[in-house]
PDB file of all heavy atoms in Angstrom:
ATOM      1  N   ASN A 688     -16.897  14.756  -9.263  1.00  0.00           N
ATOM      2  CA  ASN A 688     -18.309  14.504  -9.092  1.00  0.00           C
ATOM      3  C   ASN A 688     -19.233  14.941 -10.201  1.00  0.00           C
ATOM      4  O   ASN A 688     -20.473  14.680 -10.140  1.00  0.00           O
ATOM      5  CB  ASN A 688     -18.717  15.155  -7.672  1.00  0.00           C
ATOM      6  CG  ASN A 688     -18.205  14.356  -6.525  1.00  0.00           C
ATOM      7  OD1 ASN A 688     -17.704  13.196  -6.732  1.00  0.00           O
ATOM      8  ND2 ASN A 688     -18.414  14.883  -5.283  1.00  0.00           N
ATOM      9  N   ALA A 759     -21.067   5.628  -6.071  1.00  0.00           N
ATOM     10  CA  ALA A 759     -21.577   6.343  -7.213  1.00  0.00           C
ATOM     11  C   ALA A 759     -21.938   5.413  -8.378  1.00  0.00           C
ATOM     12  O   ALA A 759     -22.500   5.861  -9.357  1.00  0.00           O
ATOM     13  CB  ALA A 759     -20.651   7.401  -7.659  1.00  0.00           C
ATOM     14  N   ARG A 787     -25.814   5.547   4.227  1.00  0.00           N
ATOM     15  CA  ARG A 787     -26.046   6.308   2.979  1.00  0.00           C
ATOM     16  C   ARG A 787     -27.046   5.507   2.146  1.00  0.00           C
ATOM     17  O   ARG A 787     -26.715   4.745   1.290  1.00  0.00           O
ATOM     18  CB  ARG A 787     -24.730   6.473   2.206  1.00  0.00           C
ATOM     19  CG  ARG A 787     -23.849   7.483   2.871  1.00  0.00           C
ATOM     20  CD  ARG A 787     -22.505   7.722   2.162  1.00  0.00           C
ATOM     21  NE  ARG A 787     -22.661   8.536   1.001  1.00  0.00           N
ATOM     22  CZ  ARG A 787     -21.668   8.872   0.198  1.00  0.00           C
ATOM     23  NH1 ARG A 787     -20.455   8.438   0.436  1.00  0.00           N
ATOM     24  NH2 ARG A 787     -21.858   9.665  -0.820  1.00  0.00           N
ATOM     25  N   PRO A 788     -28.320   5.747   2.487  1.00  0.00           N
ATOM     26  CA  PRO A 788     -29.356   4.990   1.812  1.00  0.00           C
ATOM     27  C   PRO A 788     -29.481   5.311   0.337  1.00  0.00           C
ATOM     28  O   PRO A 788     -28.971   6.298  -0.167  1.00  0.00           O
ATOM     29  CB  PRO A 788     -30.599   5.325   2.535  1.00  0.00           C
ATOM     30  CG  PRO A 788     -30.397   6.652   3.272  1.00  0.00           C
ATOM     31  CD  PRO A 788     -28.854   6.663   3.348  1.00  0.00           C
ATOM     32  N   ILE A 789     -30.244   4.440  -0.398  1.00  0.00           N
ATOM     33  CA  ILE A 789     -30.496   4.632  -1.791  1.00  0.00           C
ATOM     34  C   ILE A 789     -31.991   4.682  -2.073  1.00  0.00           C
ATOM     35  O   ILE A 789     -32.398   4.546  -3.260  1.00  0.00           O
ATOM     36  CB  ILE A 789     -29.812   3.713  -2.798  1.00  0.00           C
ATOM     37  CG1 ILE A 789     -30.068   2.222  -2.363  1.00  0.00           C
ATOM     38  CG2 ILE A 789     -28.311   3.925  -2.861  1.00  0.00           C
ATOM     39  CD1 ILE A 789     -30.008   1.277  -3.410  1.00  0.00           C
ATOM     40  N   ASP A 790     -32.797   4.782  -1.008  1.00  0.00           N
ATOM     41  CA  ASP A 790     -34.253   4.808  -1.166  1.00  0.00           C
ATOM     42  C   ASP A 790     -34.762   5.768  -2.145  1.00  0.00           C
ATOM     43  O   ASP A 790     -35.739   5.519  -2.911  1.00  0.00           O
ATOM     44  CB  ASP A 790     -34.928   4.900   0.225  1.00  0.00           C
ATOM     45  CG  ASP A 790     -34.512   6.151   0.892  1.00  0.00           C
ATOM     46  OD1 ASP A 790     -33.308   6.450   0.943  1.00  0.00           O
ATOM     47  OD2 ASP A 790     -35.333   6.789   1.513  1.00  0.00           O
ATOM     48  N   LEU A 791     -34.130   6.940  -2.182  1.00  0.00           N
ATOM     49  CA  LEU A 791     -34.647   8.034  -3.034  1.00  0.00           C
ATOM     50  C   LEU A 791     -34.439   7.730  -4.510  1.00  0.00           C
ATOM     51  O   LEU A 791     -35.210   8.136  -5.381  1.00  0.00           O
ATOM     52  CB  LEU A 791     -34.067   9.380  -2.642  1.00  0.00           C
ATOM     53  CG  LEU A 791     -34.300   9.817  -1.140  1.00  0.00           C
ATOM     54  CD1 LEU A 791     -33.630  11.159  -0.927  1.00  0.00           C
ATOM     55  CD2 LEU A 791     -35.843   9.896  -0.927  1.00  0.00           C
ATOM     56  N   HIS A 792     -33.345   7.044  -4.814  1.00  0.00           N
ATOM     57  CA  HIS A 792     -33.053   6.716  -6.182  1.00  0.00           C
ATOM     58  C   HIS A 792     -34.160   5.692  -6.657  1.00  0.00           C
ATOM     59  O   HIS A 792     -34.723   5.811  -7.780  1.00  0.00           O
ATOM     60  CB  HIS A 792     -31.685   5.916  -6.335  1.00  0.00           C
ATOM     61  CG  HIS A 792     -30.482   6.711  -5.882  1.00  0.00           C
ATOM     62  ND1 HIS A 792     -29.604   7.160  -6.835  1.00  0.00           N
ATOM     63  CD2 HIS A 792     -30.086   7.193  -4.753  1.00  0.00           C
ATOM     64  CE1 HIS A 792     -28.615   7.832  -6.222  1.00  0.00           C
ATOM     65  NE2 HIS A 792     -28.910   7.888  -4.941  1.00  0.00           N
ATOM     66  N   VAL A 828     -35.784  14.888   0.848  1.00  0.00           N
ATOM     67  CA  VAL A 828     -34.525  15.574   1.147  1.00  0.00           C
ATOM     68  C   VAL A 828     -33.744  15.773  -0.097  1.00  0.00           C
ATOM     69  O   VAL A 828     -33.974  15.095  -1.059  1.00  0.00           O
ATOM     70  CB  VAL A 828     -33.545  14.778   2.172  1.00  0.00           C
ATOM     71  CG1 VAL A 828     -34.123  14.665   3.558  1.00  0.00           C
ATOM     72  CG2 VAL A 828     -33.235  13.428   1.668  1.00  0.00           C
ATOM     73  N   SER A 829     -32.878  16.780  -0.123  1.00  0.00           N
ATOM     74  CA  SER A 829     -32.178  17.070  -1.301  1.00  0.00           C
ATOM     75  C   SER A 829     -31.049  16.022  -1.485  1.00  0.00           C
ATOM     76  O   SER A 829     -30.211  15.880  -0.591  1.00  0.00           O
ATOM     77  CB  SER A 829     -31.581  18.453  -1.149  1.00  0.00           C
ATOM     78  OG  SER A 829     -30.841  18.793  -2.274  1.00  0.00           O
ATOM     79  N   SER A 830     -31.026  15.387  -2.665  1.00  0.00           N
ATOM     80  CA  SER A 830     -30.003  14.335  -2.934  1.00  0.00           C
ATOM     81  C   SER A 830     -29.440  14.523  -4.280  1.00  0.00           C
ATOM     82  O   SER A 830     -30.122  14.564  -5.328  1.00  0.00           O
ATOM     83  CB  SER A 830     -30.652  12.901  -2.863  1.00  0.00           C
ATOM     84  OG  SER A 830     -29.764  12.025  -3.454  1.00  0.00           O
ATOM     85  N   VAL A 831     -28.106  14.713  -4.369  1.00  0.00           N
ATOM     86  CA  VAL A 831     -27.385  14.867  -5.608  1.00  0.00           C
ATOM     87  C   VAL A 831     -27.579  13.675  -6.482  1.00  0.00           C
ATOM     88  O   VAL A 831     -27.993  13.740  -7.645  1.00  0.00           O
ATOM     89  CB  VAL A 831     -25.862  15.217  -5.370  1.00  0.00           C
ATOM     90  CG1 VAL A 831     -25.116  15.374  -6.650  1.00  0.00           C
ATOM     91  CG2 VAL A 831     -25.665  16.462  -4.505  1.00  0.00           C
ATOM     92  N   GLY A 832     -27.262  12.490  -5.841  1.00  0.00           N
ATOM     93  CA  GLY A 832     -27.248  11.285  -6.649  1.00  0.00           C
ATOM     94  C   GLY A 832     -28.613  10.960  -7.118  1.00  0.00           C
ATOM     95  O   GLY A 832     -28.827  10.545  -8.307  1.00  0.00           O
ATOM     96  N   THR A 971     -20.595  19.743   2.480  1.00  0.00           N
ATOM     97  CA  THR A 971     -20.149  18.718   3.416  1.00  0.00           C
ATOM     98  C   THR A 971     -18.762  18.160   2.971  1.00  0.00           C
ATOM     99  O   THR A 971     -17.930  17.727   3.869  1.00  0.00           O
ATOM    100  CB  THR A 971     -21.131  17.533   3.546  1.00  0.00           C
ATOM    101  OG1 THR A 971     -20.539  16.433   4.322  1.00  0.00           O
ATOM    102  CG2 THR A 971     -21.524  16.978   2.247  1.00  0.00           C
ATOM    103  N   ASP A 972     -18.471  18.141   1.651  1.00  0.00           N
ATOM    104  CA  ASP A 972     -17.172  17.652   1.164  1.00  0.00           C
ATOM    105  C   ASP A 972     -15.999  18.515   1.483  1.00  0.00           C
ATOM    106  O   ASP A 972     -14.832  18.223   1.239  1.00  0.00           O
ATOM    107  CB  ASP A 972     -17.209  17.431  -0.312  1.00  0.00           C
ATOM    108  CG  ASP A 972     -17.961  16.145  -0.638  1.00  0.00           C
ATOM    109  OD1 ASP A 972     -18.367  15.432   0.276  1.00  0.00           O
ATOM    110  OD2 ASP A 972     -18.245  15.887  -1.876  1.00  0.00           O
ATOM    111  N   VAL A 994     -25.634  17.405   6.396  1.00  0.00           N
ATOM    112  CA  VAL A 994     -25.791  16.431   5.400  1.00  0.00           C
ATOM    113  C   VAL A 994     -25.555  15.043   5.882  1.00  0.00           C
ATOM    114  O   VAL A 994     -26.355  14.090   5.819  1.00  0.00           O
ATOM    115  CB  VAL A 994     -25.004  16.805   4.203  1.00  0.00           C
ATOM    116  CG1 VAL A 994     -25.257  15.831   3.065  1.00  0.00           C
ATOM    117  CG2 VAL A 994     -25.292  18.248   3.700  1.00  0.00           C
ATOM    118  N   TYR A 995     -24.323  14.822   6.432  1.00  0.00           N
ATOM    119  CA  TYR A 995     -23.930  13.591   7.031  1.00  0.00           C
ATOM    120  C   TYR A 995     -23.571  13.791   8.427  1.00  0.00           C
ATOM    121  O   TYR A 995     -22.522  14.319   8.776  1.00  0.00           O
ATOM    122  CB  TYR A 995     -22.704  13.002   6.237  1.00  0.00           C
ATOM    123  CG  TYR A 995     -23.125  12.615   4.887  1.00  0.00           C
ATOM    124  CD1 TYR A 995     -22.534  13.275   3.749  1.00  0.00           C
ATOM    125  CD2 TYR A 995     -23.976  11.573   4.608  1.00  0.00           C
ATOM    126  CE1 TYR A 995     -22.852  12.893   2.442  1.00  0.00           C
ATOM    127  CE2 TYR A 995     -24.249  11.169   3.331  1.00  0.00           C
ATOM    128  CZ  TYR A 995     -23.734  11.866   2.240  1.00  0.00           C
ATOM    129  OH  TYR A 995     -24.026  11.502   0.969  1.00  0.00           O
ATOM    130  N   ARG A 998     -20.122  12.242   9.933  1.00  0.00           N
ATOM    131  CA  ARG A 998     -19.004  12.271   9.101  1.00  0.00           C
ATOM    132  C   ARG A 998     -17.792  12.897   9.867  1.00  0.00           C
ATOM    133  O   ARG A 998     -17.269  13.964   9.550  1.00  0.00           O
ATOM    134  CB  ARG A 998     -19.320  13.248   7.905  1.00  0.00           C
ATOM    135  CG  ARG A 998     -18.292  13.095   6.782  1.00  0.00           C
ATOM    136  CD  ARG A 998     -18.674  13.860   5.581  1.00  0.00           C
ATOM    137  NE  ARG A 998     -17.891  13.438   4.406  1.00  0.00           N
ATOM    138  CZ  ARG A 998     -18.086  13.889   3.145  1.00  0.00           C
ATOM    139  NH1 ARG A 998     -18.942  14.734   2.900  1.00  0.00           N
ATOM    140  NH2 ARG A 998     -17.280  13.402   2.257  1.00  0.00           N
TER     141      ARG A 998
HETATM  142  C1  LIG B1491     -22.712  13.214  -3.493  1.00  0.00           C
HETATM  143  C2  LIG B1491     -21.248  13.346  -3.604  1.00  0.00           C
HETATM  144  C3  LIG B1491     -20.619  13.325  -2.205  1.00  0.00           C
HETATM  145  C4  LIG B1491     -21.307  14.444  -1.373  1.00  0.00           C
HETATM  146  C5  LIG B1491     -22.759  14.331  -1.377  1.00  0.00           C
HETATM  147  C6  LIG B1491     -23.391  15.561  -0.668  1.00  0.00           C
HETATM  148  C7  LIG B1491     -20.751  12.200  -5.725  1.00  0.00           C
HETATM  149  C8  LIG B1491     -20.150  11.021  -6.386  1.00  0.00           C
HETATM  150  N1  LIG B1491     -20.769  12.214  -4.331  1.00  0.00           N
HETATM  151  O1  LIG B1491     -23.046  12.034  -2.870  1.00  0.00           O
HETATM  152  O2  LIG B1491     -19.214  13.510  -2.340  1.00  0.00           O
HETATM  153  O3  LIG B1491     -20.780  14.354  -0.017  1.00  0.00           O
HETATM  154  O4  LIG B1491     -23.253  14.330  -2.683  1.00  0.00           O
HETATM  155  O5  LIG B1491     -23.142  16.721  -1.255  1.00  0.00           O
HETATM  156  O6  LIG B1491     -21.141  13.161  -6.267  1.00  0.00           O
HETATM  157  N2  LIG B1491     -30.120  10.274   1.015  1.00  0.00           N
HETATM  158  C9  LIG B1491     -31.177   9.398   1.289  1.00  0.00           C
HETATM  159  N3  LIG B1491     -31.621   8.556   0.433  1.00  0.00           N
HETATM  160  C10 LIG B1491     -31.059   8.430  -0.781  1.00  0.00           C
HETATM  161  C11 LIG B1491     -30.014   9.249  -1.206  1.00  0.00           C
HETATM  162  C12 LIG B1491     -29.486  10.113  -0.234  1.00  0.00           C
HETATM  163  O7  LIG B1491     -31.723   9.613   2.479  1.00  0.00           O
HETATM  164  O8  LIG B1491     -31.602   7.592  -1.594  1.00  0.00           O
HETATM  165  C13 LIG B1491     -29.522  11.248   2.004  1.00  0.00           C
HETATM  166  C14 LIG B1491     -28.118  10.971   2.375  1.00  0.00           C
HETATM  167  O9  LIG B1491     -28.064   9.998   3.400  1.00  0.00           O
HETATM  168  C15 LIG B1491     -27.594  12.301   2.821  1.00  0.00           C
HETATM  169  C16 LIG B1491     -28.343  13.280   1.806  1.00  0.00           C
HETATM  170  O10 LIG B1491     -29.396  12.482   1.278  1.00  0.00           O
HETATM  171  O11 LIG B1491     -27.963  12.620   4.070  1.00  0.00           O
HETATM  172  C17 LIG B1491     -27.572  13.763   0.649  1.00  0.00           C
HETATM  173  O12 LIG B1491     -26.925  12.706  -0.001  1.00  0.00           O
HETATM  174  P1  LIG B1491     -26.677  12.756  -1.543  1.00  0.00           P
HETATM  175  O13 LIG B1491     -26.761  14.155  -1.979  1.00  0.00           O
HETATM  176  O14 LIG B1491     -27.618  11.743  -2.209  1.00  0.00           O
HETATM  177  O15 LIG B1491     -25.142  12.279  -1.630  1.00  0.00           O
HETATM  178  P2  LIG B1491     -24.478  11.470  -2.887  1.00  0.00           P
HETATM  179  O16 LIG B1491     -25.162  11.820  -4.164  1.00  0.00           O
HETATM  180  O17 LIG B1491     -24.461   9.966  -2.547  1.00  0.00           O
END
Side-chain angles (χ1 to χ4, degrees):
N688 285 353
R787 289 182 76 181
I789 50 154
D790 54 318
L791 302 179
H792 297 249
V828 294
S829 176
S830 161
V831 176
T971 173
D972 285 353
V994 181
Y995 293 113
R998 192 178 197 175

